[in-house]
Amino acid sequence: MSPARKEVFLDVEGHEVRVSSPDKIVFPQPGITKLEIVQYYLAVAEGALRGAGGRPMVLKRFVKGIDQEAFFQKRVPENHPEFVDTATLQYARGTSAEEAVIRDAAGLAWVVNLGCLDLNPHPVRAEDLDHPDELRIDLDPMPGVDWSQIVDVAMVAREVLDDVGLVGWPKTSGSRGLHILVRIAPEWDYKQVRLAAETLAREVENRAPGLATARWWKEERGESVFVDFNQNAKDRTVASAYSIRPLPDARVSTPMEWDEVGVRRPEEFTIASVRERFAAIGDPHRGIDEAVGSLEGLLALAEQLGPAEKPPRAGDGEGRRQSTMPLIEIARTKTKPEALDALEEWQAKHPSTSGLLHPADVLVDGMRGSSSLWYRVRVNLQHVPESERPEQEALIADYDPWAGRVWPGRPDAG
């Protein structure tokens, strides 16, 4: 066996791109190396750049492997090559960051070498950072929801889009859900685009009650498909087309034709199969940039529907939301395995209660911390008789994602 190489240099369309640790195994199950990941992205570069090219991008870096949480890097490294552009984004909370903008295959290879498995671009072009040109629909299934229900909701969403004169382009999320992308003219700001997306979500729920929900609060959704409109809020990004997701089978977020949605499954699309598929049929989303539409129809529908119901809030004077559901919190952890271990410990302690829970009653949520995800574990006791509901107990784990950070109002701020 030859020794592992420290680096290789690739000639990508006339640009030299360094790949460090090319023989490092990133996906142990299929045995895929870092160099093979770069080669995959180069093979599907046309499609990947159609989704992520020309857009400022958050760098989601898996430097410790797929079994460890990625960290999110907004600021482009200072020593980035000349073929990588930048754009300075102003964030909603008042901060700013100079982010990477890739425009060609060399830039694509460069970000992948940094440890980026999936690509996370903003819905704006670098030339106009205030007006999105993409509306994003994220169909996010709750636990207990199977693919056929996601397909049903996707078809309803397609009908709504058609009714308001918009074209949707479906792709697997690369996990359990489905994304629908919509190209729009860059004439509306983030607030208007989010309102349009929320209106679409409400109309899908109206047409498919019980199957779909537009309720933002997870504990109120039941076993339904959440039409996640908040992915259109400023500062939010989603994995773009042809992104590799950090699952053991090296699954890919894959564009599809509409007639494939009901007959294909997310697990079919992996690095190996998508590379072959792209070579055979090209990119099913090749026409997306010519299908630019207007938000006027959705915004008119927003007026017809009236304001969305606001979530109830507690009367504590601090604007905190008071859930209508009987929730208890189990743990806050740094990693998902720790979260699942805490849940298992709680279930062992409360076996009779656990036996009454529905799949959607167990809430394990990835929460965005300062530069990475942390996990919150809660249980909705709605299906447990009130007299049998356990009380809120001390958290099994109480990870503080903000430890060491100080700001006004934080207990350790002094």
Side-chain angles (χ1 to χ4, degrees):
M1 179 181 296
S2 59
R5 295 168 291 180
K6 292 184 178 180
E7 61 185 15
V8 297
F9 293 89
L10 303 179
D11 183 344
V12 183
E13 298 177 349
H15 297 291
E16 185 179 74
V17 180
R18 174 180 175 267
V19 179
S20 60
S21 304
D23 302 317
K24 177 183 178 182
I25 299 295
V26 179
F27 289 93
Q29 183 175 300
I32 296 173
T33 67
K34 185 178 180 182
L35 180 58
E36 287 171 327
I37 291 173
V38 174
Q39 291 169 335
Y40 156 80
Y41 270 111
L42 292 178
V44 300
E46 177 196 343
L49 290 168
R50 186 170 285 117
R55 303 177 183 278
M57 177 188 300
V58 173
L59 302 177
K60 183 181 176 183
R61 301 178 64 182
F62 290 86
V63 295
K64 296 182 179 179
I66 62 171
D67 294 329
Q68 301 294 319
E69 294 296 334
F71 75 90
F72 297 89
Q73 181 176 336
K74 292 180 179 178
R75 290 172 175 80
V76 64
E78 292 184 2
N79 61 343
H80 63 271
E82 52 86 20
F83 52 81
V84 173
D85 287 342
T86 65
T88 302
L89 272 72
Q90 303 293 327
Y91 286 95
R93 59 184 176 275
T95 60
S96 64
E98 186 179 13
E99 296 192 2
V101 179
I102 62 172
R103 299 187 183 276
D104 54 24
L108 189 59
W110 178 77
V111 297
V112 174
N113 180 59
L114 293 177
C116 298
L117 292 180
D118 48 22
L119 309 176
N120 288 266
H122 291 270
V124 293
R125 304 283 181 176
E127 293 75 20
D128 185 350
L129 301 176
D130 296 319
H131 300 93
D133 74 331
E134 185 169 87
L135 183 146
R136 297 168 172 178
I137 304 162
D138 181 6
L139 302 183
D140 185 12
M142 291 292 289
V145 172
D146 63 22
W147 181 251
S148 64
Q149 184 171 333
I150 300 170
V151 172
D152 289 343
V153 173
M155 295 307 176
V156 175
R158 186 188 187 189
E159 290 177 359
V160 176
L161 289 170
D162 186 61
D163 288 347
V164 296
L166 293 171
V167 180
W169 300 79
K171 70 180 182 71
T172 62
S173 70
S175 182
R176 295 182 61 235
L178 186 77
H179 296 161
I180 303 175
L181 307 178
V182 182
R183 282 288 190 271
I184 56 174
E187 298 173 3
W188 295 271
D189 61 23
Y190 273 99
K191 184 177 180 180
Q192 292 169 306
V193 174
R194 184 183 182 279
L195 173 60
E198 183 179 21
T199 301
L200 183 142
R202 293 172 65 194
E203 182 62 15
V204 171
E205 180 180 25
N206 290 341
R207 298 189 189 190
L211 293 180
T213 181
R215 292 181 178 270
W216 177 240
W217 303 106
K218 191 172 183 179
E219 63 269 19
E220 297 174 358
R221 298 175 195 162
E223 293 181 6
S224 62
V225 176
F226 175 44
V227 186
D228 189 352
F229 55 87
N230 208 47
Q231 298 293 3
N232 296 275
K234 194 171 186 179
D235 303 358
R236 298 295 291 267
T237 62
V238 298
S240 59
Y242 297 98
S243 286
I244 303 170
R245 308 311 303 273
L247 297 178
D249 58 359
R251 199 171 298 185
V252 170
S253 178
T254 306
M256 294 187 291
E257 301 282 359
W258 275 108
D259 60 8
E260 294 182 285
V261 172
V263 296
R264 303 297 298 268
R265 299 294 296 260
E267 59 268 23
E268 296 179 48
F269 301 115
T270 63
I271 288 177
S273 65
V274 170
R275 184 168 179 174
E276 292 179 2
R277 170 183 167 90
F278 194 91
I281 69 170
D283 182 14
H285 285 193
R286 64 178 64 87
I288 190 171
D289 290 322
E290 285 71 56
V292 177
S294 168
L295 289 185
E296 291 179 358
L298 279 176
L299 295 177
L301 180 59
E303 292 188 12
Q304 294 176 27
L305 295 179
E309 180 182 356
K310 300 298 181 183
R313 294 185 180 276
D316 60 5
E318 298 181 10
R320 293 176 181 167
R321 179 183 179 275
Q322 179 65 52
S323 175
T324 59
M325 294 294 178
L327 294 172
I328 58 174
E329 188 170 7
I330 305 301
R332 301 178 182 185
T333 66
K334 184 176 182 179
T335 68
K336 191 169 185 178
E338 291 172 327
L340 297 177
D341 287 345
L343 174 62
E344 185 176 351
E345 180 178 337
W346 183 87
Q347 290 173 325
K349 185 178 179 181
H350 301 280
S352 59
T353 299
S354 299
L356 297 172
L357 300 178
H358 292 200
D361 292 338
V362 178
L363 308 171
V364 181
D365 301 318
M367 313 291 287
R368 182 67 68 87
S370 58
S371 61
S372 62
L373 292 179
W374 60 281
Y375 291 85
R376 179 178 63 180
V377 185
R378 297 175 298 160
V379 171
N380 187 346
L381 300 174
Q382 61 180 327
H383 295 109
V384 179
E386 190 169 353
S387 62
E388 300 176 25
R389 292 173 181 170
E391 297 291 331
Q392 175 69 57
E393 302 168 337
L395 298 181
I396 292 174
D398 192 4
Y399 171 69
D400 182 359
W402 310 107
R405 296 174 66 90
V406 178
W407 56 80
R410 180 166 171 80
D412 57 359

